[in-house]
């Protein structure tokens, strides 16, 4: 083997080492970028990708709820579970099992999904159906939603129609009673 062949072999070795170093650096950079991008993923975006899926939620003050995710918004989700529908305040969700491994970024959501918890409760109020409000401290109030404010709802409770105001921050979920 002549000196030229040895020189070309050395260049091939150096080029192979440089390629291996570049691939290792690129792999580390991709892993770093993936971790950095994943910090932008929200619970709501994971649940949005789980629409139509059976999940189990652990909700503050309630415990575990299992059902199918029907609709998701930034602050709440609608879940059907047997005979009941649940409007769940995402602020009260402690854990989720069975969610999709994917997420749907909020920029891809319909404008309707940007409606707040008050909008979901207004639909219950407009229907005139009785509902059961589960609070995050474990207490419950059953009655008919009357009016929905900016950060609270008004529930007419019992035979005497006593009015109870419930702050959204205290609400874990509203359960249909139909």
């Amino acid at each position: 083997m002549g000196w030229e062949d040895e020189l070309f072999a050395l260049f091939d070795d150096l080029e192979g080492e440089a390629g291996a170093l570049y691939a290792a650096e690129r792999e580390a950079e991709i892993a770093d970028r993936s971790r950095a991008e994943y910090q932008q993923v929200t619970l709501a975006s994971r649940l949005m990708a789980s629409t139509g899926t059976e999940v189990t939620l652990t909700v503050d003050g309630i415990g575990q709820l299992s059902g199918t995710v029907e609709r998701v918004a930034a602050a709440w989700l609608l879940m059907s579970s047997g005979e009941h529908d649940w409007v769940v305040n995402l602020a009260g969700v402690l854990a989720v099992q069975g969610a999709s491994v994917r997420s749907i970024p909020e920029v891809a959501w319909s404008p309707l999904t940007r409606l707040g918890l008050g909008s979901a409760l207004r639909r219950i109020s407009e229907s005139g159906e009785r509902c059961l409000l589960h609070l995050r401290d474990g207490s419950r109030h059953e009655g008919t939603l009357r009016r929905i404010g900016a950060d609270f709802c008004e529930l007419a409770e019992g035979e005497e129609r006593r009015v109870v105001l419930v702050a959204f921050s205290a609400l874990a979920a509203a359960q249909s009673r139909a």
Side-chain angles (χ1 to χ4, degrees), residues 10 14 24 71 77 86 99 109 121 124 132:
L10 175 65
L14 290 174
R71 181 169 292 166
L77 69 84
W86 292 80
W109 295 6
L121 295 175
I124 296 171
L132 182 59

Side-chain angles (χ1 to χ4, degrees), residues 55-66 77 79 86-96 134-138 170-174:
V55 300
T56 299
L57 305 175
T58 304
V59 181
D60 196 16
I62 298 174
Q64 290 194 333
L65 298 175
S66 294
L77 69 84
M79 184 169 78
W86 292 80
V87 173
V88 180
N89 185 351
L90 288 182
V93 174
L94 303 175
V96 179
H134 296 264
L135 276 54
R136 293 172 70 178
D137 69 359
L171 182 66

